[in-house]
Amino acid sequence: MGPLSSETPALPSGAGNDRQLQTKQGANATASHSLWVDVDAHQEKKCVVVMGSGDFGMALTGRLVQANYQVVVGSRNPQKTRARASGIGATVMQHEEALQQGEVVVMAVPFTHLASLPLQHLAGKIVIDVSNRNPATSKSLGSLSQAEELQALVPAAKVVKAFNVLSAYALTRGNMGSKEVPVCGDDEGARRQVCEIARDLRFTPLDMGRLSNALEVEAIPLSFFTEWRGGFFTSIVVFAFYFVLLLFQWSVCSHLQHPNKDWSSLNRLASSTVSIACGDTALTLLALCYLPGVLAAYLQLWRGTKYSQFPGWLDRWLKSRKHLGLLMLLNALLHVIMKLAGSPLSGRSDWRGNCFVAAGVFAFVLASILGLTSLPSVSGNMTWREFSFVQSVLGWFTLLLATLHLVFSGWDMLFKPDFTCYLPSHSQFVMVLPLLTFALKLPLLVPCVDSMLQSIRQGYDRTPSRTNNN
Ligand code: NAP
């Protein structure tokens, strides 16, 4: 199952746990150095100032403290924030006072309120901008990133964009493992230092170069299933095709040929037709996972090199295989469950019985998705928008389906008293792509062709210009 193989790096062992070297002395202590005792007395604590005691500020503070940083939180109201901050081992001060404590400052205050902070104290400091754009207004903004706007506000500071791809929730749970954290800024030394902090927090920093790249970094959490679009579109079109075909052949066409026949076959619409269409879609998507690899192999054989780019359409197709594979799994799962759940579970074969099964099965599948996306290794690979879409929108939809499932099963009790043609078969259509994929694959298995392909993939280059250059 090549296309489905995960490219996610393994989580470092003990991430977030091996910094428990400190011993808490007392929650009421005011100076940060009196809060902790280092087991390693030679290790000097680095100080980070976090401006803002909101969700993100406190989550990052907790993670920094775990990583043995001395953290000073800058707040408008230190009295109110003190108990919470000292509970996680940080000190709270007024903004001005906090800014005197360290050379690295995290701006965890909503971007629109940054101007109300004493920015004059930021001169010469490394200022980490963690802000994200508001999805509702981001399209109307110009081409300047928020980090660049902050840099314009404080020209004497070294602004670095970082950590905006993380969520407060995940930071608090400490389950982000080795997630990549893009870092960009104009000052190379500042960038390096922020990368080091990211590494200390058990993230993988990704040096994105100058601050002009911040717009790209700010777009990451806002991306909304961008890489899935091709797969979704393909899956929907394929499913719609098979569904309409089955509907026509099984219901409309047979009725036209036998006018006396009743329309009871339409009762099978919700389970049988969808179930078969899901199965057909799964097989087609599976073929679509393997076909581009075969086409790429022919192109490499023809060109005699792997060092020239694939055409755009093939490149996009190759990259979408993981998504196509997962959508294939989804369709297959739907097909299997609907087949298994069919009439034995519904207990009745009319439209209500079928809707009951369909709603239950879809609810089950969506619930499985919700469960899967709550696993750290899965949620760690999703943007915040994707995660909240799945957990929120799909969560409600699952609830609706589960409720409908119940309504269909108890229909009689709820609504008393008496609410009691000339085309190839769909199987032939479905076979086309798998057969084509196999037919193209077989010649590639011939030993001499296979060994040529392997040589090319190991670096052999038949292209004259390249050979001459070498
Ligand atoms: P938040 O919960 O609304 O908290 C922001 C904090 O900023 C407040 O608790 C307050 O702290 C301070 N603040 C609020 N209004 C202020 C004002 N007018 N002047 C000065 N300080 C003010 O926001 P957040 O979720 O922590 O987000 C903070 C930043 O992190 C944002 O730029 C956001 O885009 C970014 N971010 C958040 C997340 C996330 O998951 N939440 C993820 C990535 C990036 P005091 O009362 O202590 O002054």
Side-chain angles (χ1 to χ4, degrees):
M1 296 288 279
L4 298 179
S5 63
S6 168
E7 292 144 25
T8 315
L11 293 176
S13 62
N17 297 331
D18 54 351
R19 289 289 185 164
Q20 310 296 328
L21 302 174
Q22 310 93 338
T23 310
K24 204 189 263 187
Q25 284 191 324
N28 297 328
T30 47
S32 61
H33 61 266
S34 66
L35 285 172
W36 304 93
V37 173
D38 276 334
V39 173
D40 180 0
H42 301 294
Q43 191 181 356
E44 199 184 314
K45 283 189 177 187
K46 291 172 260 182
C47 181
V48 172
V49 179
V50 175
M51 300 295 275
S53 63
D55 296 339
F56 194 78
M58 293 314 277
L60 192 64
T61 296
R63 193 77 180 224
L64 283 163
V65 170
Q66 274 188 338
N68 208 24
Y69 278 81
Q70 175 192 330
V71 185
V72 178
V73 177
S75 173
R76 291 168 303 175
N77 190 345
Q79 293 296 98
K80 215 173 95 188
T81 315
R82 185 148 293 131
R84 207 153 49 104
S86 57
I88 53 174
T91 321
V92 192
M93 296 177 186
Q94 290 280 0
H95 290 144
E96 282 85 353
E97 201 188 343
L99 288 173
Q100 311 299 321
Q101 308 302 313
E103 293 307 302
V104 178
V105 182
V106 179
M107 303 299 267
V109 165
F111 186 76
T112 43
H113 299 313
L114 283 183
S116 67
L117 299 176
L119 299 178
Q120 67 279 11
H121 296 295
L122 292 174
K125 294 186 192 292
I126 297 173
V127 176
I128 306 178
D129 173 35
V130 299
S131 71
N132 271 324
R133 285 167 174 264
N134 180 347
T137 56
S138 61
K139 282 195 182 125
S140 61
L141 295 175
S143 56
L144 214 54
S145 64
Q146 292 187 165
E148 289 167 295
E149 284 184 43
L150 177 60
Q151 182 68 84
L153 277 175
V154 277
K158 302 164 205 163
V159 173
V160 177
K161 184 93 206 176
F163 301 117
N164 65 309
V165 296
L166 307 173
S167 76
Y169 171 75
L171 272 171
T172 319
R173 289 171 58 90
N175 61 1
M176 298 300 282
S178 56
K179 185 177 167 87
E180 274 186 350
V181 170
V183 176
C184 65
D186 288 339
D187 188 288
E188 210 181 317
R191 222 164 57 216
R192 214 176 309 123
Q193 225 169 307
V194 176
C195 286
E196 201 184 309
I197 295 174
R199 241 174 261 118
D200 286 343
L201 299 187
R202 296 292 185 261
F203 297 114
T204 307
L206 184 67
D207 193 334
M208 297 273 290
R210 298 189 69 85
L211 200 62
S212 52
N213 295 320
L215 201 61
E216 203 181 315
V217 178
E218 287 172 10
I220 295 171
L222 295 180
S223 70
F224 192 66
F225 291 110
T226 318
E227 293 179 348
W228 286 83
R229 274 181 202 155
F232 277 137
F233 180 76
T234 310
S235 178
I236 288 169
V237 168
V238 172
F239 176 83
F241 172 76
Y242 290 130
F243 182 77
V244 171
L245 183 72
L246 286 166
L247 193 64
F248 178 75
Q249 289 185 330
W250 287 5
S251 300
V252 181
C253 182
S254 67
H255 190 78
L256 291 177
Q257 286 175 342
H258 311 283
N260 295 331
K261 197 179 163 193
D262 66 15
W263 286 87
S264 59
S265 60
L266 277 178
N267 286 335
R268 294 174 11 182
L269 196 98
S271 59
S272 305
T273 315
V274 175
S275 159
I276 305 285
C278 282
D280 294 350
T281 307
L283 182 54
T284 303
L285 292 183
L286 190 59
L288 287 174
C289 285
Y290 288 96
L291 189 56
V294 175
L295 295 179
Y298 277 99
L299 203 61
Q300 287 176 333
L301 281 171
W302 181 58
R303 288 174 170 174
T305 178
K306 68 167 184 178
Y307 297 112
S308 58
Q309 283 195 333
F310 294 126
W313 62 269
L314 185 56
D315 195 43
R316 283 193 295 278
W317 191 357
L318 285 163
K319 284 178 182 155
S320 71
R321 284 179 299 172
K322 194 165 98 180
H323 306 109
L324 286 172
L326 288 171
L327 289 163
M328 178 279 296
L329 271 184
L330 179 69
N331 277 284
L333 193 65
L334 278 170
H335 173 68
V336 170
I337 297 172
M338 290 183 96
K339 265 280 179 224
L340 287 177
S343 41
L345 286 187
S346 71
R348 51 188 303 160
S349 56
D350 64 358
W351 69 273
R352 265 188 281 143
N354 284 306
C355 287
F356 154 77
V357 172
V361 168
F362 274 101
F364 169 74
V365 169
L366 289 179
S368 308
I369 294 173
L370 288 174
L372 272 176
T373 52
S374 62
L375 295 175
S377 54
V378 179
S379 63
N381 284 302
M382 300 176 88
T383 66
W384 171 83
R385 267 188 93 188
E386 290 162 358
F387 183 76
S388 61
F389 171 80
V390 170
Q391 292 294 326
S392 176
V393 179
L394 284 194
W396 280 104
F397 197 51
T398 309
L399 181 64
L400 176 69
L401 279 173
T403 311
L404 280 176
H405 185 59
L406 194 68
V407 169
F408 289 126
S409 79
W411 184 276
D412 289 331
M413 284 175 287
L414 284 170
F415 303 102
K416 279 186 175 179
D418 195 15
F419 302 142
T420 49
C421 318
Y422 307 98
L423 287 167
S425 73
H426 81 99
S427 307
Q428 285 170 323
F429 272 110
V430 180
M431 286 306 286
V432 171
L433 267 180
L435 281 183
L436 178 68
T437 309
F438 285 125
L440 289 172
K441 177 72 181 172
L442 282 176
L444 296 176
L445 298 176
V446 174
C448 58
V449 181
D450 183 50
S451 67
M452 173 58 76
L453 188 61
Q454 294 313 320
S455 309
I456 288 171
R457 286 181 173 168
Q458 279 158 23
Y460 168 75
D461 195 339
R462 211 179 52 219
T463 321
S465 58
R466 285 182 199 274
T467 314
N468 292 343
N469 286 344
N470 293 341

